[in-house]
Amino acid sequence: MTDLKRRILSVLLENEPGALSRLVGLFSQRGYNIESLTVAVTDDQSLSRLTLTTICSDHKIEQITKQLNKLIDVVKLVDLTDGAHIERELMLIKVKALGATRAEVKRCCDIFRGQIIDVNASSYTIQIAGTSDKLDAFIESLGDVNIIEVVRTGVSGISRGEKSLSL
Amino acid sequence: MSELLSGGEMVARALKDEGVEFIFGYPGGAVLHIYDALHQTQFTPHILVRHEQAATHAADAYTRSTGKTGVVLVTSGPGATNAITGIATAYMDSIPMVVLSGQVQSHLIGEDAFQETDMVGISRPIVKHSFLVKKTEDIPEIIKKAFFIAESGRPGPVVIDIPKDLTHPDLKYPYHYPETVKIRSYTPIEKGHSGQIKKALKLLMTAKRPVVYTGGGVIQGNASELLTQFARALRLPVTNTLMGLGGYPGTDPQFLGMLGMHGTYEANNSMHHADVILAIGARFDDRVTNTPSKFCPSAKIIHVDADPASISKTVAIDIPIVGSAKTVLEDMLTYLPEIADQQAIDNFKNHMDEWWQQINLWRENHGLWVKPRYDTHSGLIKPQQAIEALFKATNGEAYVCSDVGQHQMFTAQYYRFDQPRRWINSGGLGTMGFGLPAAMGCKLAFPDAHVCTVTGEGSIQMNIQELSTCTQYGLPIKIINLNNGYLGMVKQWQDMQYDSRYSQSVYEDSLPDFIKLAEAYGHVGMKVTKPEELDQAMADAFAMTDKLVFMDIYVDPHEHVYPMQVAPNGSMRDMLLSKTERT
């Protein structure tokens, strides 16, 4: 496939047991990939909002959205990448911070507008939010710094302007 | 004030209120409360099968033959897993079915309790939807929702998993069976877009070499009459998929036969050379298209389907129409006079002389019904002959169920179904063992009609225990066992692709005496070995209207099914026509 694109799907899902497994199962059953997935309940307790990123062709994304729409638990669905949108991901990253590295990590963190949220004698835990690319870039910028642990939430997305995904 | 009922009674009552005619099932620990409620209420006859797989196939065939949703009741654990093959069979062919499975008590779920299995999980990829009941009082609404989901849109099976404690006879709750249900996330599209339909008609009217290609959607959607009307109004050639046979009258001159892997020469060639294809309720399955990139190179394609996900899944579609076969065909007939006046329609039909000449030439040269394309002088019974004899003996009007393999393809080719819902086979999943229980479901629905199952000595043994069920309920079906002593379709592929190395497709003289076996269950056995005995044997068997007759018919073990499309990399028209001829 030459025309692979990264897609962000935003889904309103019935907040029912088994609903998520049906959605995730569909991806493995039909051989679609999931790059990242975030889910949580919305202001309406009966609905979950899910953001899913996948990398696929135009033909595939059409199939994925059609198949997802067929799931009884899927209430609404939009491909955010079809229009202007905002995406954010949160990362918690624990790094070794000793000697000269301590200052260097702090500088990097400031440049990327991250926050150090936990400190001890030998490490920093940094919180940083942004697009996935920005988080990648931050990890890249740490260079030789010893990374102890990386926790990423996966992408959450919303469309720009007045467009909305709601009932 | 609504009545107070226990969960078990609610199940019995809801099935009655839904108008269910039969429950196909098998009891066990987790469903004992329900079975007791069934026994006490006596609302709906229950058919006790000998294996849960048979319950699902019987319910499935009941649905295929009647259009009414079949109901299955099984216990937890092995009862549920045994039902899986039948649920998958129904799912692949878009057959509505409601499967009620018992589950261990709520507080034991997840503890690996005795006969516990995660039925909702295990059935997930092969159901349209499933429910795990959490509260007794939800049972009626969930059952109503299950029927609604199973029957609407693109139909399919729905599982309802019910923990045992929720059906306890002492715990009673108000019962109310809703007349309708609404599900906010589920609104199937019935009616096609009028603009698209008109666009499709305009395109069709420009065609010089049109073909109508229809599938199970026309049968399940009760659109056969409309299809026939529409095709005749425009003199269109029609081909059906394996699932679509009977959607257009099989003996009509405009019918080209089945298409695809074992489709007729004329159907596959017409498709390949078509300039416009009108596909209705068919899904461009790999057994139809052969190599998708070589599929019908000069055709513009119109696709009518209830399921948007079927459109452009394997083959790109020019004019998609999402809607049921019935409403779209109705609209096509309504809009046709707007798009074309009588003069234009007459011109269209006249201009098709050339196309019909071509089709008739293909038919003359290699068609299956013009003259026998198999050896009639071998002294052996040819499977094709057996099907032709069956067709003759039943006037082409029987409910014909089938198992899976060569016999299935021969039946699809040679039994020419003039009516829908008469051809009952596992098309998508290709489930061996389907045939006998399927015939039970049909016979229960149509006790006065001829019901038979065409099978082979391989398939029949996959659910042969159901001969006992047939005895219990007095189901005088006719079993047409085309006995070639091999797993025939496997052998055919091994002949063609593996230099006739018959890896595990032979039984080494281990086959039972099917006559004695049938007799052991109280049925009639009949052995047929000579071609000249066929007609009389068939007549005798079908004359025994109150007996199940097991016809063990010994056929040429080396016969192959032809035509057969050449794969891989073949187009629709690349076919083997016999062991020696290739297009």
Side-chain angles (χ1 to χ4, degrees), chain B residues 40 83 106 115 136 149 156 191 209 242 261 300 325 350 356 359 375 384 396 422 450 518 520 533 539 551 581:
Chain B
Q40 301 226 31
S106 307
Q115 292 197 327
T136 303
I149 291 169
K191 234 171 143 44
R209 300 182 306 279
L242 180 65
M261 176 173 267
K300 291 257 186 242
N350 292 337
W356 272 112
I359 292 172
D375 179 5
Q384 300 92 325
R422 297 292 168 112
H450 284 319
E533 296 168 353
M551 298 185 74
E581 296 163 274

PDB file of all heavy atoms in Angstrom, chain B residues 40 83 106 115 136 149 156 191 209 242 261 300 325 350 356 359 375 384 396 422 450 518 520 533 539 551 581:
ATOM      1  N   GLN B  40     -44.036 -26.237  32.127  1.00  0.00           N
ATOM      2  CA  GLN B  40     -45.255 -25.863  32.847  1.00  0.00           C
ATOM      3  C   GLN B  40     -46.199 -25.011  32.001  1.00  0.00           C
ATOM      4  O   GLN B  40     -47.412 -25.101  32.165  1.00  0.00           O
ATOM      5  CB  GLN B  40     -44.879 -25.095  34.116  1.00  0.00           C
ATOM      6  CG  GLN B  40     -44.002 -25.934  35.023  1.00  0.00           C
ATOM      7  CD  GLN B  40     -44.459 -25.868  36.473  1.00  0.00           C
ATOM      8  OE1 GLN B  40     -45.634 -25.716  36.767  1.00  0.00           O
ATOM      9  NE2 GLN B  40     -43.503 -25.992  37.389  1.00  0.00           N
ATOM     10  N   ALA B  83     -23.030 -24.856  19.976  1.00  0.00           N
ATOM     11  CA  ALA B  83     -23.908 -24.062  19.110  1.00  0.00           C
ATOM     12  C   ALA B  83     -23.130 -23.129  18.192  1.00  0.00           C
ATOM     13  O   ALA B  83     -23.669 -22.607  17.213  1.00  0.00           O
ATOM     14  CB  ALA B  83     -24.886 -23.257  19.965  1.00  0.00           C
ATOM     15  N   SER B 106     -24.837 -15.573  38.367  1.00  0.00           N
ATOM     16  CA  SER B 106     -24.134 -14.283  38.244  1.00  0.00           C
ATOM     17  C   SER B 106     -22.892 -14.206  39.125  1.00  0.00           C
ATOM     18  O   SER B 106     -21.835 -13.754  38.686  1.00  0.00           O
ATOM     19  CB  SER B 106     -25.065 -13.135  38.617  1.00  0.00           C
ATOM     20  OG  SER B 106     -26.254 -13.207  37.883  1.00  0.00           O
ATOM     21  N   GLN B 115     -19.088 -25.798  33.897  1.00  0.00           N
ATOM     22  CA  GLN B 115     -19.792 -25.477  32.646  1.00  0.00           C
ATOM     23  C   GLN B 115     -19.886 -23.963  32.408  1.00  0.00           C
ATOM     24  O   GLN B 115     -20.861 -23.478  31.859  1.00  0.00           O
ATOM     25  CB  GLN B 115     -21.177 -26.132  32.606  1.00  0.00           C
ATOM     26  CG  GLN B 115     -21.076 -27.660  32.512  1.00  0.00           C
ATOM     27  CD  GLN B 115     -22.358 -28.339  32.076  1.00  0.00           C
ATOM     28  OE1 GLN B 115     -23.450 -27.882  32.381  1.00  0.00           O
ATOM     29  NE2 GLN B 115     -22.226 -29.459  31.358  1.00  0.00           N
ATOM     30  N   THR B 136     -33.342  -9.715  35.982  1.00  0.00           N
ATOM     31  CA  THR B 136     -34.479 -10.501  35.501  1.00  0.00           C
ATOM     32  C   THR B 136     -35.486  -9.630  34.750  1.00  0.00           C
ATOM     33  O   THR B 136     -35.978  -9.993  33.685  1.00  0.00           O
ATOM     34  CB  THR B 136     -35.173 -11.207  36.677  1.00  0.00           C
ATOM     35  OG1 THR B 136     -34.199 -12.006  37.339  1.00  0.00           O
ATOM     36  CG2 THR B 136     -36.313 -12.076  36.206  1.00  0.00           C
ATOM     37  N   ILE B 149     -33.215  -6.725  16.238  1.00  0.00           N
ATOM     38  CA  ILE B 149     -31.878  -6.624  15.649  1.00  0.00           C
ATOM     39  C   ILE B 149     -31.651  -7.770  14.657  1.00  0.00           C
ATOM     40  O   ILE B 149     -31.137  -7.565  13.549  1.00  0.00           O
ATOM     41  CB  ILE B 149     -30.792  -6.634  16.744  1.00  0.00           C
ATOM     42  CG1 ILE B 149     -30.859  -5.348  17.563  1.00  0.00           C
ATOM     43  CG2 ILE B 149     -29.397  -6.795  16.141  1.00  0.00           C
ATOM     44  CD1 ILE B 149     -30.010  -5.361  18.823  1.00  0.00           C
ATOM     45  N   GLY B 156     -29.115 -11.248  10.999  1.00  0.00           N
ATOM     46  CA  GLY B 156     -28.031 -12.055  11.551  1.00  0.00           C
ATOM     47  C   GLY B 156     -28.421 -12.619  12.903  1.00  0.00           C
ATOM     48  O   GLY B 156     -29.448 -12.243  13.470  1.00  0.00           O
ATOM     49  N   LYS B 191     -35.076   2.152   2.818  1.00  0.00           N
ATOM     50  CA  LYS B 191     -35.352   2.683   1.497  1.00  0.00           C
ATOM     51  C   LYS B 191     -34.101   3.250   0.844  1.00  0.00           C
ATOM     52  O   LYS B 191     -33.341   3.963   1.482  1.00  0.00           O
ATOM     53  CB  LYS B 191     -36.394   3.787   1.640  1.00  0.00           C
ATOM     54  CG  LYS B 191     -37.610   3.544   0.738  1.00  0.00           C
ATOM     55  CD  LYS B 191     -38.728   4.482   1.025  1.00  0.00           C
ATOM     56  CE  LYS B 191     -39.447   4.895  -0.262  1.00  0.00           C
ATOM     57  NZ  LYS B 191     -39.720   3.822  -1.207  1.00  0.00           N
ATOM     58  N   ARG B 209     -24.963  -4.740 -22.940  1.00  0.00           N
ATOM     59  CA  ARG B 209     -24.739  -6.117 -22.472  1.00  0.00           C
ATOM     60  C   ARG B 209     -24.935  -6.184 -20.944  1.00  0.00           C
ATOM     61  O   ARG B 209     -24.007  -6.465 -20.199  1.00  0.00           O
ATOM     62  CB  ARG B 209     -23.310  -6.568 -22.836  1.00  0.00           C
ATOM     63  CG  ARG B 209     -23.013  -6.546 -24.335  1.00  0.00           C
ATOM     64  CD  ARG B 209     -21.603  -7.053 -24.643  1.00  0.00           C
ATOM     65  NE  ARG B 209     -20.595  -6.342 -23.887  1.00  0.00           N
ATOM     66  CZ  ARG B 209     -20.101  -5.148 -24.206  1.00  0.00           C
ATOM     67  NH1 ARG B 209     -20.535  -4.505 -25.280  1.00  0.00           N
ATOM     68  NH2 ARG B 209     -19.190  -4.578 -23.443  1.00  0.00           N
ATOM     69  N   LEU B 242     -24.842 -18.736  -5.256  1.00  0.00           N
ATOM     70  CA  LEU B 242     -25.232 -19.962  -4.554  1.00  0.00           C
ATOM     71  C   LEU B 242     -26.341 -19.667  -3.540  1.00  0.00           C
ATOM     72  O   LEU B 242     -27.279 -20.443  -3.379  1.00  0.00           O
ATOM     73  CB  LEU B 242     -24.007 -20.544  -3.834  1.00  0.00           C
ATOM     74  CG  LEU B 242     -24.198 -21.823  -3.037  1.00  0.00           C
ATOM     75  CD1 LEU B 242     -24.569 -22.984  -3.928  1.00  0.00           C
ATOM     76  CD2 LEU B 242     -22.937 -22.153  -2.250  1.00  0.00           C
ATOM     77  N   MET B 261     -17.389 -19.794  -8.943  1.00  0.00           N
ATOM     78  CA  MET B 261     -16.414 -20.875  -9.052  1.00  0.00           C
ATOM     79  C   MET B 261     -16.952 -22.093  -9.798  1.00  0.00           C
ATOM     80  O   MET B 261     -16.277 -22.649 -10.655  1.00  0.00           O
ATOM     81  CB  MET B 261     -15.937 -21.287  -7.662  1.00  0.00           C
ATOM     82  CG  MET B 261     -14.989 -22.470  -7.718  1.00  0.00           C
ATOM     83  SD  MET B 261     -14.286 -22.813  -6.123  1.00  0.00           S
ATOM     84  CE  MET B 261     -12.804 -21.871  -6.219  1.00  0.00           C
ATOM     85  N   LYS B 300     -19.688  -1.268 -15.770  1.00  0.00           N
ATOM     86  CA  LYS B 300     -20.061  -0.310 -14.723  1.00  0.00           C
ATOM     87  C   LYS B 300     -20.961  -1.090 -13.774  1.00  0.00           C
ATOM     88  O   LYS B 300     -21.812  -1.865 -14.221  1.00  0.00           O
ATOM     89  CB  LYS B 300     -20.864   0.842 -15.323  1.00  0.00           C
ATOM     90  CG  LYS B 300     -20.030   1.738 -16.216  1.00  0.00           C
ATOM     91  CD  LYS B 300     -19.703   3.013 -15.463  1.00  0.00           C
ATOM     92  CE  LYS B 300     -18.988   4.004 -16.360  1.00  0.00           C
ATOM     93  NZ  LYS B 300     -17.633   4.285 -15.833  1.00  0.00           N
ATOM     94  N   ALA B 325     -33.548  -5.006  -0.834  1.00  0.00           N
ATOM     95  CA  ALA B 325     -33.785  -5.411  -2.225  1.00  0.00           C
ATOM     96  C   ALA B 325     -35.226  -5.093  -2.616  1.00  0.00           C
ATOM     97  O   ALA B 325     -35.506  -4.620  -3.721  1.00  0.00           O
ATOM     98  CB  ALA B 325     -33.492  -6.901  -2.374  1.00  0.00           C
ATOM     99  N   ASN B 350     -35.187  -4.550 -27.874  1.00  0.00           N
ATOM    100  CA  ASN B 350     -34.818  -4.998 -29.227  1.00  0.00           C
ATOM    101  C   ASN B 350     -33.312  -5.001 -29.432  1.00  0.00           C
ATOM    102  O   ASN B 350     -32.754  -5.897 -30.055  1.00  0.00           O
ATOM    103  CB  ASN B 350     -35.470  -4.091 -30.291  1.00  0.00           C
ATOM    104  CG  ASN B 350     -36.975  -4.289 -30.303  1.00  0.00           C
ATOM    105  OD1 ASN B 350     -37.458  -5.350 -29.869  1.00  0.00           O
ATOM    106  ND2 ASN B 350     -37.713  -3.282 -30.739  1.00  0.00           N
ATOM    107  N   TRP B 356     -28.378 -11.401 -26.472  1.00  0.00           N
ATOM    108  CA  TRP B 356     -29.023 -12.696 -26.207  1.00  0.00           C
ATOM    109  C   TRP B 356     -28.518 -13.776 -27.170  1.00  0.00           C
ATOM    110  O   TRP B 356     -28.390 -14.942 -26.792  1.00  0.00           O
ATOM    111  CB  TRP B 356     -30.550 -12.574 -26.265  1.00  0.00           C
ATOM    112  CG  TRP B 356     -31.100 -12.198 -24.912  1.00  0.00           C
ATOM    113  CD1 TRP B 356     -31.692 -11.010 -24.559  1.00  0.00           C
ATOM    114  CD2 TRP B 356     -31.089 -12.994 -23.729  1.00  0.00           C
ATOM    115  NE1 TRP B 356     -32.038 -11.036 -23.226  1.00  0.00           N
ATOM    116  CE2 TRP B 356     -31.684 -12.237 -22.689  1.00  0.00           C
ATOM    117  CE3 TRP B 356     -30.619 -14.283 -23.426  1.00  0.00           C
ATOM    118  CZ2 TRP B 356     -31.828 -12.724 -21.383  1.00  0.00           C
ATOM    119  CZ3 TRP B 356     -30.769 -14.767 -22.144  1.00  0.00           C
ATOM    120  CH2 TRP B 356     -31.369 -13.982 -21.124  1.00  0.00           C
ATOM    121  N   ILE B 359     -25.298 -14.910 -25.717  1.00  0.00           N
ATOM    122  CA  ILE B 359     -25.523 -15.729 -24.515  1.00  0.00           C
ATOM    123  C   ILE B 359     -26.026 -17.117 -24.905  1.00  0.00           C
ATOM    124  O   ILE B 359     -25.557 -18.137 -24.387  1.00  0.00           O
ATOM    125  CB  ILE B 359     -26.523 -15.023 -23.559  1.00  0.00           C
ATOM    126  CG1 ILE B 359     -25.881 -13.762 -22.971  1.00  0.00           C
ATOM    127  CG2 ILE B 359     -26.969 -15.964 -22.431  1.00  0.00           C
ATOM    128  CD1 ILE B 359     -26.825 -12.881 -22.175  1.00  0.00           C
ATOM    129  N   ASP B 375     -20.543 -37.994 -18.868  1.00  0.00           N
ATOM    130  CA  ASP B 375     -20.574 -39.256 -19.592  1.00  0.00           C
ATOM    131  C   ASP B 375     -21.832 -40.046 -19.192  1.00  0.00           C
ATOM    132  O   ASP B 375     -22.008 -40.398 -18.025  1.00  0.00           O
ATOM    133  CB  ASP B 375     -19.296 -40.035 -19.222  1.00  0.00           C
ATOM    134  CG  ASP B 375     -19.242 -41.381 -19.914  1.00  0.00           C
ATOM    135  OD1 ASP B 375     -20.127 -41.656 -20.744  1.00  0.00           O
ATOM    136  OD2 ASP B 375     -18.305 -42.145 -19.607  1.00  0.00           O
ATOM    137  N   GLN B 384     -24.611 -35.933 -11.179  1.00  0.00           N
ATOM    138  CA  GLN B 384     -25.486 -34.992 -11.885  1.00  0.00           C
ATOM    139  C   GLN B 384     -26.817 -35.641 -12.223  1.00  0.00           C
ATOM    140  O   GLN B 384     -27.890 -35.042 -12.096  1.00  0.00           O
ATOM    141  CB  GLN B 384     -24.832 -34.510 -13.192  1.00  0.00           C
ATOM    142  CG  GLN B 384     -23.511 -33.784 -13.022  1.00  0.00           C
ATOM    143  CD  GLN B 384     -22.298 -34.709 -13.109  1.00  0.00           C
ATOM    144  OE1 GLN B 384     -22.347 -35.867 -12.665  1.00  0.00           O
ATOM    145  NE2 GLN B 384     -21.209 -34.219 -13.677  1.00  0.00           N
ATOM    146  N   GLY B 396     -39.449 -30.376  -9.280  1.00  0.00           N
ATOM    147  CA  GLY B 396     -38.702 -29.148  -9.011  1.00  0.00           C
ATOM    148  C   GLY B 396     -39.286 -28.321  -7.882  1.00  0.00           C
ATOM    149  O   GLY B 396     -38.966 -27.144  -7.740  1.00  0.00           O
ATOM    150  N   ARG B 422     -36.453 -22.415  -1.262  1.00  0.00           N
ATOM    151  CA  ARG B 422     -36.531 -23.863  -1.435  1.00  0.00           C
ATOM    152  C   ARG B 422     -35.134 -24.493  -1.381  1.00  0.00           C
ATOM    153  O   ARG B 422     -34.993 -25.683  -1.221  1.00  0.00           O
ATOM    154  CB  ARG B 422     -37.176 -24.197  -2.792  1.00  0.00           C
ATOM    155  CG  ARG B 422     -38.609 -23.726  -2.923  1.00  0.00           C
ATOM    156  CD  ARG B 422     -39.507 -24.506  -2.006  1.00  0.00           C
ATOM    157  NE  ARG B 422     -40.828 -23.910  -1.883  1.00  0.00           N
ATOM    158  CZ  ARG B 422     -41.940 -24.472  -2.350  1.00  0.00           C
ATOM    159  NH1 ARG B 422     -41.884 -25.629  -2.971  1.00  0.00           N
ATOM    160  NH2 ARG B 422     -43.098 -23.877  -2.177  1.00  0.00           N
ATOM    161  N   HIS B 450     -42.573 -31.950   0.120  1.00  0.00           N
ATOM    162  CA  HIS B 450     -41.402 -32.809  -0.028  1.00  0.00           C
ATOM    163  C   HIS B 450     -40.183 -32.073   0.531  1.00  0.00           C
ATOM    164  O   HIS B 450     -39.876 -30.967   0.088  1.00  0.00           O
ATOM    165  CB  HIS B 450     -41.131 -33.113  -1.507  1.00  0.00           C
ATOM    166  CG  HIS B 450     -42.080 -34.131  -2.072  1.00  0.00           C
ATOM    167  ND1 HIS B 450     -42.470 -35.246  -1.392  1.00  0.00           N
ATOM    168  CD2 HIS B 450     -42.695 -34.195  -3.278  1.00  0.00           C
ATOM    169  CE1 HIS B 450     -43.294 -35.959  -2.136  1.00  0.00           C
ATOM    170  NE2 HIS B 450     -43.461 -35.347  -3.291  1.00  0.00           N
ATOM    171  N   ALA B 518     -29.890 -46.662   9.105  1.00  0.00           N
ATOM    172  CA  ALA B 518     -31.204 -46.013   9.020  1.00  0.00           C
ATOM    173  C   ALA B 518     -32.253 -46.891   9.675  1.00  0.00           C
ATOM    174  O   ALA B 518     -33.103 -46.409  10.436  1.00  0.00           O
ATOM    175  CB  ALA B 518     -31.552 -45.741   7.562  1.00  0.00           C
ATOM    176  N   ALA B 520     -31.842 -49.070  11.982  1.00  0.00           N
ATOM    177  CA  ALA B 520     -31.645 -49.107  13.437  1.00  0.00           C
ATOM    178  C   ALA B 520     -32.419 -47.998  14.126  1.00  0.00           C
ATOM    179  O   ALA B 520     -32.851 -48.117  15.263  1.00  0.00           O
ATOM    180  CB  ALA B 520     -30.168 -49.007  13.773  1.00  0.00           C
ATOM    181  N   GLU B 533     -31.864 -47.575 -12.286  1.00  0.00           N
ATOM    182  CA  GLU B 533     -32.757 -47.726 -11.123  1.00  0.00           C
ATOM    183  C   GLU B 533     -33.157 -46.372 -10.515  1.00  0.00           C
ATOM    184  O   GLU B 533     -34.058 -46.312  -9.688  1.00  0.00           O
ATOM    185  CB  GLU B 533     -32.040 -48.505 -10.000  1.00  0.00           C
ATOM    186  CG  GLU B 533     -31.684 -49.931 -10.338  1.00  0.00           C
ATOM    187  CD  GLU B 533     -30.725 -50.532  -9.291  1.00  0.00           C
ATOM    188  OE1 GLU B 533     -30.242 -49.796  -8.393  1.00  0.00           O
ATOM    189  OE2 GLU B 533     -30.472 -51.732  -9.400  1.00  0.00           O
ATOM    190  N   ALA B 539     -38.886 -42.225  -7.135  1.00  0.00           N
ATOM    191  CA  ALA B 539     -40.349 -42.228  -7.077  1.00  0.00           C
ATOM    192  C   ALA B 539     -40.813 -43.023  -5.853  1.00  0.00           C
ATOM    193  O   ALA B 539     -41.701 -42.582  -5.111  1.00  0.00           O
ATOM    194  CB  ALA B 539     -40.930 -42.813  -8.361  1.00  0.00           C
ATOM    195  N   MET B 551     -31.608 -42.789   1.135  1.00  0.00           N
ATOM    196  CA  MET B 551     -31.223 -43.337  -0.164  1.00  0.00           C
ATOM    197  C   MET B 551     -29.706 -43.306  -0.275  1.00  0.00           C
ATOM    198  O   MET B 551     -29.115 -42.237  -0.389  1.00  0.00           O
ATOM    199  CB  MET B 551     -31.832 -42.520  -1.302  1.00  0.00           C
ATOM    200  CG  MET B 551     -33.350 -42.508  -1.322  1.00  0.00           C
ATOM    201  SD  MET B 551     -33.965 -41.650  -2.782  1.00  0.00           S
ATOM    202  CE  MET B 551     -33.625 -42.859  -4.057  1.00  0.00           C
ATOM    203  N   GLU B 581     -10.885 -30.123 -20.948  1.00  0.00           N
ATOM    204  CA  GLU B 581     -11.127 -28.871 -21.674  1.00  0.00           C
ATOM    205  C   GLU B 581     -10.968 -27.660 -20.757  1.00  0.00           C
ATOM    206  O   GLU B 581     -11.424 -27.676 -19.623  1.00  0.00           O
ATOM    207  CB  GLU B 581     -12.572 -28.793 -22.187  1.00  0.00           C
ATOM    208  CG  GLU B 581     -12.977 -29.811 -23.186  1.00  0.00           C
ATOM    209  CD  GLU B 581     -14.496 -29.845 -23.257  1.00  0.00           C
ATOM    210  OE1 GLU B 581     -15.107 -30.572 -22.438  1.00  0.00           O
ATOM    211  OE2 GLU B 581     -15.053 -29.131 -24.095  1.00  0.00           O
TER     212      GLU B 581
END
